[in-house]
Amino acid sequence: MFKSLGENATIHSLAKILYPENISIGAESVVDDFVFMYGAGKGIQIGKFCHITARCIIESGGLLEIGDFSTIAYSGIVMASSDDYKGNCLTGLGKFGEKYRTLYNLDTKIGRHVLVGAGSIILPGVTIGDGCSVGAGSLVTKDLPPWSLCYGSPCRVIEQKKSKEIRLQMEKEFLQEYEKGQKND
């Protein structure tokens, strides 16, 4: 059973969810088939009106937050945990235990109105600001500022967006229409 599941949230039947008791999914959000969500540690919080598309991997350890109106496109990977790559331990299996394995659990935050392009990878400990767009195939290794267009490997800011006010006005109008529709149902 999920920690919380918002009204009309949809989790398709072929999504694989581990530790759902640590996962909250907001109203009207959609988790497509073939998504793998691993809610270990501090868990996963997905906002309202979000879309986690097919073949994505969403893995916590540290807290993993995805803000309202955000999308992780096809085959995107978002991580809030990683093995130690410095060679000071065994990697991979939880069976090794803390004596032989070192995990870094780092909070990872994706803001509101964020679009993460297909095949992108978000590493643990990163914060992606509100309204940021991450181009397809990007490797995000550091924080990205709000309302920016970013892409590359490593991902970098290409330009600042000019659409913040337009997007926020559209959100306001949509929510007004949505609430009217909810009252009519």
Side-chain angles (χ1 to χ4, degrees):
M1 190 54 103
F2 286 92
K3 184 174 185 177
S4 68
L5 196 58
E7 185 176 358
N8 297 322
T10 302
I11 294 99
H12 287 269
S13 63
L14 296 177
K16 178 70 172 178
I17 314 287
L18 297 179
Y19 303 106
E21 66 274 11
N22 296 330
I23 299 173
S24 298
I25 300 175
E28 303 291 348
S29 289
V30 176
V31 176
D32 283 351
D33 282 330
F34 311 112
V35 167
F36 177 76
M37 292 180 73
Y38 187 73
K42 293 182 181 178
I44 299 168
Q45 295 176 357
I46 298 173
K48 298 178 282 192
F49 304 102
C50 291
H51 190 188
I52 311 300
T53 65
R55 298 182 312 278
C56 285
I57 298 171
I58 310 295
E59 177 191 12
S60 62
L63 179 61
L64 195 156
E65 296 178 83
I66 299 173
D68 298 345
F69 297 96
S70 291
T71 297
I72 312 299
Y74 301 99
S75 299
I77 299 172
V78 184
M79 301 183 301
S81 183
S82 178
D83 280 295
D84 177 357
Y85 280 77
K86 296 176 185 171
N88 299 320
C89 60
L90 297 175
T91 60
L93 296 175
K95 179 102 175 143
F96 298 146
E98 291 181 21
K99 180 177 178 183
Y100 299 105
R101 184 174 186 216
T102 302
L103 279 180
Y104 295 106
N105 295 316
L106 303 170
D107 294 350
T108 303
K109 182 174 182 177
I110 295 174
R112 296 167 43 96
H113 295 284
V114 171
L115 173 59
V116 176
S120 293
I121 300 171
I122 313 300
L123 293 182
V126 168
T127 296
I128 298 176
D130 291 350
C132 184
S133 294
V134 176
S138 293
L139 175 62
V140 182
T141 61
K142 61 183 180 178
D143 294 354
L144 299 175
W147 304 101
S148 58
L149 172 61
C150 307
Y151 59 84
S153 181
C155 193
R156 64 194 179 286
V157 177
I158 303 304
E159 64 183 62
Q160 286 300 122
K161 291 180 170 181
K162 296 172 179 60
S163 62
K164 177 180 178 180
E165 289 76 21
I166 294 168
R167 182 82 57 92
L168 295 177
Q169 181 60 35
M170 289 174 75
E171 175 187 331
K172 182 179 175 181
E173 291 173 15
F174 168 78
L175 289 173
Q176 288 172 345
E177 290 176 20
Y178 175 78
E179 288 171 10
K180 282 181 188 175
Q182 294 294 92
K183 290 177 185 175
N184 293 334
D185 288 343

